[in-house]
């Protein structure tokens, strides 16, 4: 059960490349992140990464009109058909060439794929099960260069394709007599977008130089005429059977071929061919203020055209008049993808240069969603004590804090001016401390979101390691150039001591969780234990067999794990300074061979080792990762490998495969070493010598797969790793494993439900936990009457108290029965508190999980209560204001009535006076 972890989410990256898509209801953005797909729910402010991955980075995603399935295509043209409901892969297919775009027809029956200079129309996968999911219907030839974009008419009768040869081609999805193909020119640069008008054949085409052409058709969609079939089908010969055309077609087989020519087609017979004429031509960059137009999308219902530029500016125009509605600069990087949701209110922008994903509401001119990952590799991570937050530091000098429930970043600190090497939380959970190569250690406050302490050394030093003691008062950092350890006070910010003695760079620091002892490991092959209470003297020195790279304490402080350069993980008793065991992990790393390596993976593996270590929450196992695509879990007691996790299968990264591709080997050497020079101005594809991390220059190359940091969640239910791909979170999935406890022949669901009918609550709970099925445990627990909970808790055997508390903590996080489960937790802690306290070390992860669940509900409820209070105050103020208005109106009415009475009396008196006068 302990090792039933599965991939649950990808944090730290929100967009890499490819096209953005909105869900059918327009409330979620589907974004390609490397070789995975992330779904960002904009209404609930959460993110989810689908448990699927492609072989290489994703370049385009095609979403079906009903939003149930998606076709995902990677750089090599390998496609997967994905169900967005079950989150499962339904089918694999290979287009054998790079695909530039993919688009479903509005009726969902066909989809068009553009690769090289051809457009391929396939039958869309239906709801019934099919052996051949992708059946080719027609192949359309016409453009001379690569095709770039696709759009369909609303009735799915025709589609239009844009090309790099500056032409736009309109094709008929059926054999129309008056429209088989039509070629449009008028541009002087690559076509970026082509769009049909609503319920019409009228067209808009947009090119990279910022030119918009408006095309008008002389025929309506209803005027398209099907070709009459003149050839009668031949009767089948003897011994042959008629076969349905659909069933006879084989997946991938070439269907009907339509070849277009860039010349006017002559009218044949009575049918007059569809013709287009250019109505107008507009230019975006008349004043030369903008760079190339890089992305465009059109919303047919509102007639709004959205265009993105290489300078990070976007425009909103109303067509066909080309009236500018809105313009804004949202980034200093090239806008790679633009998408608009079904209602036309929200616009999604993807900037691949900085990994930004933005959703803009243009009517209110405000951000609905704004996220950005680390620009370069992430170097370190840390869990908060309650497991709710993860802090990450990157080579871009930023410290980001992520919410583990929503998967989103809610604060970014940008004070560092160089790479962040380590981040850690203090025991309170409200302070993050980070070390950087810029020579500073900074402390950030999570209440006010500010940098309230900056620690520096007397002489400039590059800090590569960091540790904070349990009290949060002592901050220590190790320098990689001066071989010293610096100690500061968190309260005063003053430097307390400089610890010398290491003869090599200090690679890692770690404070004991229970004693005031600092462990430091260095390249000088020693681990030194410094006593913080005894004048910062060296208490013990442990000799290693090789250079030390990482050190970590067990959660109870009774054991020390050290990773060394020779690929070993050794375990030490810090009290007696003796080695208790070791694990040789070099063979478990299984490193790959880089494309530029002159030696084999087997030879290069001799220089690989674990660079990050972490104990599990219960201290029984240790997590190890390094310069490899594998993360290993070792059992400390048995000193054996328990499980290996392959963190990525993305071949877009370097050092993924053990052997080089022989197809790339030529008589002149490997093709990977040939400087091809990318044609789109992206520089060369070979890294500079010695470069292992992100290159800040304009050069682009394949990044090497590696794990830079590992951490177990304090709750024990998940662990996270910072990798080249991003921040990967693996969670414990209880549904994967059947793990009964003290199982017997009498322990069956029927016997458990019988106890429930007899209202024997405690025996029913014990039987349910012996069978250990989640659904059954939940059913039994929720059948117990609320007033009986304290009685049941008091009669439970001790061995089941801890199990029940763990189940309550897990259920409380997702269940809506807040008071019910809170009563269970309160009764268990009140009645069994003393016994649980004696085993506090063992049940600490359970208590932290319970605290995390309660804190999450507290935050949600406090927000809701505050919102309700503001609404009630507003309603009261409004009613008072209306009351004041009513009283004022009533007073006015009374005054008017008095005036009328006075005027009547005056008129009567005047009449009487007149009569007397007479």
């Amino acid at each position: 059960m302990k090792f039933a972890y599965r991939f649950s989410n990808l944090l730290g990256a929100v967009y890499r490349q490819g096209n953005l898509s909105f869900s059918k209801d327009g409330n979620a953005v589907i974004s390609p992140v490397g070789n995975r797909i992330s779904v960002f729910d904009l209404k609930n402010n959460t993110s989810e990464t689908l448990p699927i991955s492609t072989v290489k980075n994703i370049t385009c995603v095609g979403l079906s009109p009903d939003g149930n399935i998606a076709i995902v295509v990677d750089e090599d043209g390998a496609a997967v058909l994905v169900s967005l409901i079950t989150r499962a892969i339904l089918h694999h297919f290979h287009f054998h060439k790079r695909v530039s775009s993919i688009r479903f027809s509005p009726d969902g029956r066909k989809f068009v794929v553009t690769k090289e200079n051809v457009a391929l129309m396939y039958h869309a996968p239906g709801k019934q099960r099919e052996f051949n999911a992708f059946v080719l219907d027609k192949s359309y030839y016409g453009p001379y260069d690569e095709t770039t974009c696709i759009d369909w008419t609303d009735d799915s009768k025709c589609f239009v394709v844009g090309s790099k040869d500056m032409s736009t081609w309109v094709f008929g999805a059926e054999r129309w007599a008056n429209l088989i193909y039509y070629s449009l020119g008028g541009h002087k640069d690559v076509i970026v977008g082509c769009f049909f008008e609503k319920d019409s054949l009228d067209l808009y085409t947009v090119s990279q130089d910022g030119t918009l052409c408006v095309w008008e058709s002389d025929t309506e969609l209803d005027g398209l005429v099907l070709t009459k079939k003149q050839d009668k089908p031949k009767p089948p010969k003897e011994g042959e059977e008629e076969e349905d055309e659909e069933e006879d077609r084989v997946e991938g087989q070439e269907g009907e071929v339509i070849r277009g020519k860039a010349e006017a087609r002559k009218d044949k017979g009575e049918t007059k061919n569809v013709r287009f004429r250019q109505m107008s031509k507009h230019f975006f960059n008349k004043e030369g203020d903008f760079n190339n137009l890089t992305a465009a999308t059109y919303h047919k219902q509102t007639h709004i055209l959205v265009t993105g530029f290489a300078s990070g500016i976007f425009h909103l125009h109303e067509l066909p008049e080309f009236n500018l509605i809105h313009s804004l600069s949202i980034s200093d990087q090239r806008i790679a993808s633009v998408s608009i949701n079904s209602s036309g209110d929200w616009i999604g922008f993807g900037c691949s240069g900085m990994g930004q994903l933005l959703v803009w509401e243009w009517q209110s001119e405000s951000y609905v969603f704004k996220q950005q990952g680390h620009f370069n590799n992430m170097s370190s991570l840390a869990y908060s004590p309650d497991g709710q937050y993860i802090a990450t530091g990157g080579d871009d000098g930023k410290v980001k804090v992520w919410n583990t429930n929503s998967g989103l970043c809610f604060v970014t600190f940008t004070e560092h001016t160089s790479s962040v090497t380590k981040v850690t939380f203090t025991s309170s959970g409200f302070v993050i401390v980070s070390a950087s190569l810029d020579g500073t250690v900074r402390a950030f406050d999570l209440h006010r979101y500010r940098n309230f302490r900056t620690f520096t050394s007397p002489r400039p030093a590059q800090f590569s390691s960091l540790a904070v003691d349990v009290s949060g008062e002592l901050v220590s950092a190790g320098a990689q150039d001066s071989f010293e350890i610096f100690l500061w006070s968190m309260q005063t910010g003053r430097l307390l001591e400089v610890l010398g003695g290491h003869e090599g760079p200090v690679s890692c620091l770690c404070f004991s969780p229970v004693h005031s002892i600092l462990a430091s490991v260095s390249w000088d092959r020693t681990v030194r234990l410094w006593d913080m209470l005894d004048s910062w003297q060296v208490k013990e020195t442990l000799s290693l067999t090789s250079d030390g790279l990482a050190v970590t304490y067990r959660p109870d402080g009774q054991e020390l794990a050290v990773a060394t350069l020779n690929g070993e993980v050794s375990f030490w008793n810090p009290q007696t300074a003796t080695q208790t065991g070791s694990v040789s992990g070099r063979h478990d790393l299984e490193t790959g061979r880089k494309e530029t390596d002159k030696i084999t993976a087997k030879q290069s593996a001799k220089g690989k080792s674990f660079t990050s270590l972490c104990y599990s929450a219960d201290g029984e196992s240790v997590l190890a990762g390094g310069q490899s695509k594998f993360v290993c879990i070792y059992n400390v007691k048995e000193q054996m490998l328990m499980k290996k996790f392959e963190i990525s299968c993305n071949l877009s990264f370097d050092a993924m495969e053990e052997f080089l591709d022989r197809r790339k080997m030529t008589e002149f050497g490997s093709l990977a070493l040939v400087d091809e020079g990318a044609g789109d101005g992206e520089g060369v594809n070979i890294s500079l010598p010695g470069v292992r991390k992100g290159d800040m220059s304009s050069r682009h190359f394949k990044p090497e797969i590696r794990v830079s940091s590992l951490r177990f969640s304090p709750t024990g239910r998940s662990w996270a790793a910072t990798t080249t791909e991003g921040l990967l979170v693996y969670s414990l999935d209880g549904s994967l494993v059947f793990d009964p406890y003290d199982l017997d022949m009498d322990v069956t669901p029927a016997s458990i439900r019988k106890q429930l009918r007899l209202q024997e609550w405690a025996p029913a709970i014990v039987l349910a936990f012996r069978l250990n099925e989640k659904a059954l445990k939940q059913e039994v627990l929720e059948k117990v009457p609320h007033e009986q909970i304290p009685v049941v808790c008091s009669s439970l055997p001790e061995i089941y108290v801890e199990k029940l508390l763990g189940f309550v903590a897990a259920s409380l996080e997702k269940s809506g029965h807040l008071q019910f489960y809170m009563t269970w937790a309160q009764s268990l802690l009140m009645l069994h508190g003393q016994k649980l306290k004696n085993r506090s070390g063992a049940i600490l992860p359970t208590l932290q999980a319970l605290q995390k669940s309660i804190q999450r509900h507290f935050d949600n409820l406090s927000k809701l209560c505050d919102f309700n209070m503001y609404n009630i105050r507003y309603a009261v103020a409004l009613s008072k204001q209306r009351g004041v208005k009513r009283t004022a109106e009533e007073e006015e009415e009374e005054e008017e009535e008095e005036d009328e009475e006075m005027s009547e009396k005056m008129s009567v008196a005047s009449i009487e006076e007149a009569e007397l006068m007479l």
Side-chain angles (χ1 to χ4, degrees), residues 418-422 435-439 457 459-466 477-486 502-509 521-524 693:
S418 187
S419 299
V420 176
T421 52
K422 288 289 179 183
S436 171
L437 296 179
D438 63 2
S457 56
R459 294 182 302 279
Q462 291 185 314
F463 298 116
S464 58
S465 52
L466 176 73
Q480 66 179 17
D481 43 9
S482 64
F483 313 157
E484 294 171 327
I485 301 168
F486 298 88
H502 279 297
E503 298 170 3
V506 179
S507 52
C508 190
L509 296 173
V521 66
S522 169
W523 291 8
D524 63 3
K693 298 184 180 179

Side-chain angles (χ1 to χ4, degrees), residues 630-694:
F630 289 104
V631 170
C632 305
I633 289 189
Y634 293 99
N635 186 295
V636 178
K637 189 176 180 181
E638 302 293 336
Q639 295 177 15
M640 61 181 290
L641 178 69
M642 299 300 293
K643 186 161 185 178
K644 274 203 307 189
F645 295 93
E646 187 177 8
I647 56 168
S648 179
C649 59
N650 189 357
L651 296 182
S652 296
F653 293 135
D654 211 353
M656 284 294 295
E657 294 184 293
E658 187 177 354
F659 301 103
L660 290 182
D661 189 350
R662 294 296 176 191
R663 289 171 293 184
K664 291 185 178 179
M665 303 303 289
T666 65
E667 57 181 316
F668 306 107
S670 174
L671 288 176
L673 298 172
V674 178
D675 184 359
E676 295 175 357
D680 295 332
E682 293 185 350
V684 296
N685 294 315
I686 304 172
S687 61
L688 291 168
V691 171
R692 291 196 175 276
K693 298 184 180 179

Side-chain angles (χ1 to χ4, degrees), residues 786 789-790 793 818-828:
H786 186 266
I789 291 175
C793 288
L818 182 57
Q819 186 182 357
F820 182 76
Y821 281 108
M822 288 283 283
T823 308
W824 274 107
Q826 185 183 16
S827 301
L828 288 169

Side-chain angles (χ1 to χ4, degrees), residues 130-146:
E130 297 167 308
F131 181 72
N132 299 330
F134 289 9
V135 177
L136 183 61
D137 185 23
K138 295 182 181 71
S139 301
Y140 296 87
Y141 293 88
Y144 294 103
D145 206 342
E146 286 183 29

Side-chain angles (χ1 to χ4, degrees), residues 53-82:
S53 57
T54 54
V55 178
K56 286 197 172 181
N57 286 336
I58 295 168
T59 54
C60 52
V61 179
L63 202 62
S64 64
D66 58 7
N68 292 338
I69 60 172
I71 298 174
V72 181
V73 190
D74 69 8
E75 291 172 342
D76 284 349
V80 288
L81 179 67
V82 180

